[in-house]
Amino acid sequence: MDKAHYTTVEEQVEYGLETIPEEQMVSIPLRDLMYVFETLGELNRFFHQPLNWQTLADVKTFMGGRDSGALHLIRECYYRKLRDVLPADIEAGLDADRFDNPDLPHYYKPKTD
């Protein structure tokens, strides 16, 4: 029997955030912020309507790959638009796994047929 604890997506994203003071701010170029905002908007537009993702092929087409589609946009946001604006202490925390939930996300749970 599987004894691992699996988390929700929200628990993965929110882990460690309480260690950041609410008043701590960063500066980001507006164009980069809009790129991230529009990317999240497009993800929301696709996933909020189940008719858009009725088949695995629908999701694969939308997600694309490293150089195109939603996966490309996500990678641009993560590696190019947001990563360089993080303060040094947050970068160090990322390197030290400060924001990595020790429990695995639910989608890592082994599938049983």
Short mmCIF file of all heavy atoms in Angstrom, two decimals, residues 61-96:
data_model
loop_
_atom_site.label_atom_id
_atom_site.label_comp_id
_atom_site.label_asym_id
_atom_site.label_seq_id
_atom_site.Cartn_x
_atom_site.Cartn_y
_atom_site.Cartn_z
N THR A 61 -2.34 19.44 -28.28
CA THR A 61 -2.26 20.50 -29.28
C THR A 61 -2.11 21.86 -28.61
O THR A 61 -1.27 22.67 -29.02
CB THR A 61 -3.51 20.49 -30.20
OG1 THR A 61 -3.57 19.23 -30.87
CG2 THR A 61 -3.47 21.62 -31.20
N PHE A 62 -2.90 22.11 -27.59
CA PHE A 62 -2.82 23.37 -26.87
C PHE A 62 -1.46 23.53 -26.18
O PHE A 62 -0.83 24.60 -26.26
CB PHE A 62 -3.94 23.47 -25.83
CG PHE A 62 -3.86 24.70 -24.97
CD1 PHE A 62 -4.23 25.94 -25.47
CD2 PHE A 62 -3.40 24.62 -23.66
CE1 PHE A 62 -4.14 27.08 -24.68
CE2 PHE A 62 -3.31 25.75 -22.87
CZ PHE A 62 -3.68 26.98 -23.38
N MET A 63 -1.00 22.50 -25.51
CA MET A 63 0.25 22.58 -24.76
C MET A 63 1.46 22.74 -25.68
O MET A 63 2.41 23.42 -25.32
CB MET A 63 0.43 21.35 -23.87
CG MET A 63 -0.54 21.31 -22.69
SD MET A 63 -0.54 22.81 -21.66
CE MET A 63 1.11 22.81 -21.00
N GLY A 64 1.43 22.12 -26.86
CA GLY A 64 2.54 22.26 -27.78
C GLY A 64 3.79 21.62 -27.23
O GLY A 64 3.75 20.53 -26.67
N GLY A 65 4.90 22.33 -27.36
CA GLY A 65 6.17 21.79 -26.90
C GLY A 65 7.10 22.89 -26.46
O GLY A 65 6.70 24.03 -26.26
N ARG A 66 8.35 22.57 -26.36
CA ARG A 66 9.36 23.50 -25.87
C ARG A 66 9.42 24.80 -26.67
O ARG A 66 9.70 25.86 -26.13
CB ARG A 66 10.70 22.78 -25.90
CG ARG A 66 11.82 23.56 -25.32
CD ARG A 66 13.12 22.76 -25.41
NE ARG A 66 14.13 23.44 -24.65
CZ ARG A 66 14.76 22.94 -23.61
NH1 ARG A 66 14.48 21.73 -23.21
NH2 ARG A 66 15.67 23.64 -22.98
N ASP A 67 9.15 24.73 -27.96
CA ASP A 67 9.31 25.89 -28.84
C ASP A 67 8.01 26.51 -29.34
O ASP A 67 8.04 27.46 -30.12
CB ASP A 67 10.19 25.51 -30.04
CG ASP A 67 11.59 25.09 -29.60
OD1 ASP A 67 12.14 25.72 -28.68
OD2 ASP A 67 12.11 24.11 -30.16
N SER A 68 6.87 25.96 -28.94
CA SER A 68 5.59 26.53 -29.39
C SER A 68 4.47 26.11 -28.44
O SER A 68 4.61 25.15 -27.68
CB SER A 68 5.27 26.06 -30.81
OG SER A 68 5.04 24.67 -30.83
N GLY A 69 3.37 26.83 -28.51
CA GLY A 69 2.21 26.50 -27.70
C GLY A 69 2.33 26.96 -26.26
O GLY A 69 3.23 27.74 -25.88
N ALA A 70 1.40 26.48 -25.43
CA ALA A 70 1.34 26.91 -24.03
C ALA A 70 2.59 26.55 -23.26
O ALA A 70 3.04 27.32 -22.41
CB ALA A 70 0.10 26.31 -23.37
N LEU A 71 3.18 25.39 -23.53
CA LEU A 71 4.40 25.02 -22.81
C LEU A 71 5.52 26.03 -23.09
O LEU A 71 6.25 26.44 -22.18
CB LEU A 71 4.85 23.61 -23.17
CG LEU A 71 6.09 23.11 -22.42
CD1 LEU A 71 5.90 23.18 -20.91
CD2 LEU A 71 6.44 21.70 -22.86
N HIS A 72 5.62 26.47 -24.32
CA HIS A 72 6.61 27.49 -24.66
C HIS A 72 6.36 28.78 -23.87
O HIS A 72 7.29 29.38 -23.32
CB HIS A 72 6.56 27.77 -26.17
CG HIS A 72 7.39 28.93 -26.59
ND1 HIS A 72 8.76 28.90 -26.63
CD2 HIS A 72 7.03 30.18 -26.94
CE1 HIS A 72 9.21 30.08 -27.02
NE2 HIS A 72 8.18 30.87 -27.20
N LEU A 73 5.10 29.20 -23.80
CA LEU A 73 4.76 30.41 -23.05
C LEU A 73 5.09 30.26 -21.57
O LEU A 73 5.64 31.19 -20.94
CB LEU A 73 3.28 30.74 -23.22
CG LEU A 73 2.83 31.14 -24.62
CD1 LEU A 73 1.31 31.26 -24.66
CD2 LEU A 73 3.49 32.42 -25.07
N ILE A 74 4.75 29.12 -21.00
CA ILE A 74 5.04 28.87 -19.58
C ILE A 74 6.53 28.93 -19.32
O ILE A 74 6.99 29.55 -18.36
CB ILE A 74 4.46 27.51 -19.15
CG1 ILE A 74 2.92 27.56 -19.17
CG2 ILE A 74 4.97 27.11 -17.77
CD1 ILE A 74 2.26 26.20 -19.07
N ARG A 75 7.32 28.30 -20.18
CA ARG A 75 8.78 28.32 -20.03
C ARG A 75 9.32 29.74 -20.14
O ARG A 75 10.21 30.13 -19.38
CB ARG A 75 9.43 27.40 -21.06
CG ARG A 75 9.17 25.92 -20.81
CD ARG A 75 9.76 25.05 -21.91
NE ARG A 75 11.19 25.26 -22.07
CZ ARG A 75 12.14 24.74 -21.30
NH1 ARG A 75 11.79 23.97 -20.28
NH2 ARG A 75 13.41 24.98 -21.53
N GLU A 76 8.79 30.53 -21.06
CA GLU A 76 9.23 31.93 -21.20
C GLU A 76 8.94 32.71 -19.92
O GLU A 76 9.79 33.47 -19.44
CB GLU A 76 8.51 32.59 -22.39
CG GLU A 76 9.05 32.20 -23.73
CD GLU A 76 10.46 32.74 -23.99
OE1 GLU A 76 10.71 33.94 -23.78
OE2 GLU A 76 11.30 31.92 -24.39
N CYS A 77 7.76 32.53 -19.37
CA CYS A 77 7.40 33.22 -18.13
C CYS A 77 8.33 32.81 -17.00
O CYS A 77 8.86 33.66 -16.27
CB CYS A 77 5.95 32.91 -17.73
SG CYS A 77 4.72 33.63 -18.82
N TYR A 78 8.52 31.52 -16.85
CA TYR A 78 9.27 30.98 -15.71
C TYR A 78 10.76 31.29 -15.80
O TYR A 78 11.36 31.73 -14.82
CB TYR A 78 9.05 29.46 -15.65
CG TYR A 78 9.58 28.81 -14.41
CD1 TYR A 78 8.89 28.88 -13.21
CD2 TYR A 78 10.77 28.09 -14.44
CE1 TYR A 78 9.39 28.27 -12.06
CE2 TYR A 78 11.27 27.48 -13.30
CZ TYR A 78 10.57 27.57 -12.12
OH TYR A 78 11.05 26.97 -10.99
N TYR A 79 11.35 31.05 -16.95
CA TYR A 79 12.81 31.17 -17.07
C TYR A 79 13.30 32.55 -17.53
O TYR A 79 14.44 32.91 -17.27
CB TYR A 79 13.35 30.11 -18.03
CG TYR A 79 13.25 28.72 -17.48
CD1 TYR A 79 12.37 27.81 -18.03
CD2 TYR A 79 14.03 28.32 -16.41
CE1 TYR A 79 12.27 26.51 -17.53
CE2 TYR A 79 13.94 27.04 -15.89
CZ TYR A 79 13.05 26.13 -16.46
OH TYR A 79 12.95 24.87 -15.95
N ARG A 80 12.45 33.31 -18.21
CA ARG A 80 12.94 34.58 -18.77
C ARG A 80 12.25 35.83 -18.21
O ARG A 80 12.90 36.83 -17.98
CB ARG A 80 12.81 34.55 -20.29
CG ARG A 80 13.77 33.56 -20.90
CD ARG A 80 13.89 33.72 -22.40
NE ARG A 80 14.87 32.79 -22.92
CZ ARG A 80 14.62 31.53 -23.25
NH1 ARG A 80 13.40 31.05 -23.12
NH2 ARG A 80 15.56 30.75 -23.73
N LYS A 81 10.97 35.77 -18.01
CA LYS A 81 10.25 36.97 -17.60
C LYS A 81 10.27 37.20 -16.09
O LYS A 81 10.30 38.35 -15.65
CB LYS A 81 8.79 36.93 -18.08
CG LYS A 81 8.63 36.72 -19.57
CD LYS A 81 9.22 37.83 -20.38
CE LYS A 81 9.00 37.61 -21.86
NZ LYS A 81 9.69 38.58 -22.67
N LEU A 82 10.23 36.14 -15.29
CA LEU A 82 10.10 36.30 -13.85
C LEU A 82 11.35 35.97 -13.06
O LEU A 82 11.60 36.56 -12.01
CB LEU A 82 8.94 35.43 -13.33
CG LEU A 82 7.56 35.82 -13.82
CD1 LEU A 82 6.51 34.86 -13.25
CD2 LEU A 82 7.22 37.25 -13.44
N ARG A 83 12.14 35.04 -13.51
CA ARG A 83 13.24 34.53 -12.70
C ARG A 83 14.26 35.60 -12.35
O ARG A 83 14.77 35.65 -11.23
CB ARG A 83 13.92 33.36 -13.42
CG ARG A 83 14.90 32.57 -12.57
CD ARG A 83 14.18 31.90 -11.41
NE ARG A 83 15.09 31.26 -10.50
CZ ARG A 83 15.18 29.96 -10.33
NH1 ARG A 83 14.42 29.15 -11.03
NH2 ARG A 83 16.02 29.46 -9.47
N ASP A 84 14.56 36.50 -13.26
CA ASP A 84 15.60 37.50 -13.01
C ASP A 84 15.16 38.66 -12.12
O ASP A 84 15.98 39.49 -11.74
CB ASP A 84 16.14 38.06 -14.34
CG ASP A 84 16.94 37.01 -15.10
OD1 ASP A 84 17.42 36.05 -14.48
OD2 ASP A 84 17.07 37.15 -16.33
N VAL A 85 13.88 38.74 -11.78
CA VAL A 85 13.42 39.84 -10.94
C VAL A 85 13.33 39.44 -9.47
O VAL A 85 13.04 40.27 -8.62
CB VAL A 85 12.05 40.40 -11.40
CG1 VAL A 85 12.14 40.89 -12.84
CG2 VAL A 85 10.93 39.40 -11.23
N LEU A 86 13.61 38.20 -9.16
CA LEU A 86 13.51 37.74 -7.77
C LEU A 86 14.70 38.24 -6.96
O LEU A 86 15.83 38.23 -7.44
CB LEU A 86 13.45 36.22 -7.73
CG LEU A 86 12.25 35.59 -8.44
CD1 LEU A 86 12.38 34.07 -8.45
CD2 LEU A 86 10.95 36.01 -7.79
N PRO A 87 14.45 38.66 -5.72
CA PRO A 87 15.54 39.11 -4.84
C PRO A 87 16.52 37.96 -4.55
O PRO A 87 16.14 36.78 -4.63
CB PRO A 87 14.84 39.55 -3.57
CG PRO A 87 13.40 39.69 -3.92
CD PRO A 87 13.15 38.80 -5.08
N ALA A 88 17.73 38.31 -4.17
CA ALA A 88 18.78 37.32 -3.92
C ALA A 88 18.36 36.30 -2.86
O ALA A 88 18.67 35.11 -2.99
CB ALA A 88 20.06 38.03 -3.51
N ASP A 89 17.67 36.74 -1.80
CA ASP A 89 17.28 35.80 -0.75
C ASP A 89 16.26 34.78 -1.26
O ASP A 89 16.26 33.62 -0.84
CB ASP A 89 16.75 36.53 0.49
CG ASP A 89 15.46 37.28 0.25
OD1 ASP A 89 15.34 37.98 -0.79
OD2 ASP A 89 14.56 37.20 1.11
N ILE A 90 15.41 35.20 -2.17
CA ILE A 90 14.43 34.27 -2.75
C ILE A 90 15.13 33.32 -3.71
O ILE A 90 14.85 32.11 -3.71
CB ILE A 90 13.29 35.04 -3.45
CG1 ILE A 90 12.55 35.94 -2.45
CG2 ILE A 90 12.34 34.08 -4.15
CD1 ILE A 90 11.91 35.21 -1.29
N GLU A 91 16.05 33.83 -4.52
CA GLU A 91 16.86 32.96 -5.40
C GLU A 91 17.58 31.90 -4.57
O GLU A 91 17.59 30.72 -4.93
CB GLU A 91 17.88 33.78 -6.20
CG GLU A 91 17.30 34.55 -7.35
CD GLU A 91 16.94 33.67 -8.53
OE1 GLU A 91 17.37 32.51 -8.61
OE2 GLU A 91 16.19 34.17 -9.38
N ALA A 92 18.19 32.33 -3.46
CA ALA A 92 18.89 31.39 -2.58
C ALA A 92 17.90 30.37 -2.01
O ALA A 92 18.22 29.18 -1.91
CB ALA A 92 19.61 32.13 -1.46
N GLY A 93 16.71 30.83 -1.66
CA GLY A 93 15.69 29.92 -1.15
C GLY A 93 15.25 28.91 -2.19
O GLY A 93 15.01 27.74 -1.88
N LEU A 94 15.16 29.34 -3.44
CA LEU A 94 14.83 28.41 -4.52
C LEU A 94 15.93 27.37 -4.67
O LEU A 94 15.66 26.18 -4.82
CB LEU A 94 14.61 29.17 -5.83
CG LEU A 94 13.34 30.00 -5.92
CD1 LEU A 94 13.39 30.92 -7.14
CD2 LEU A 94 12.11 29.11 -5.95
N ASP A 95 17.17 27.82 -4.64
CA ASP A 95 18.31 26.90 -4.77
C ASP A 95 18.38 25.92 -3.61
O ASP A 95 18.84 24.79 -3.76
CB ASP A 95 19.62 27.68 -4.87
CG ASP A 95 19.74 28.45 -6.18
OD1 ASP A 95 19.02 28.12 -7.15
OD2 ASP A 95 20.54 29.41 -6.23
N ALA A 96 17.92 26.36 -2.42
CA ALA A 96 17.96 25.52 -1.22
C ALA A 96 16.65 24.74 -1.02
O ALA A 96 16.44 24.16 0.05
CB ALA A 96 18.24 26.39 0.00
#
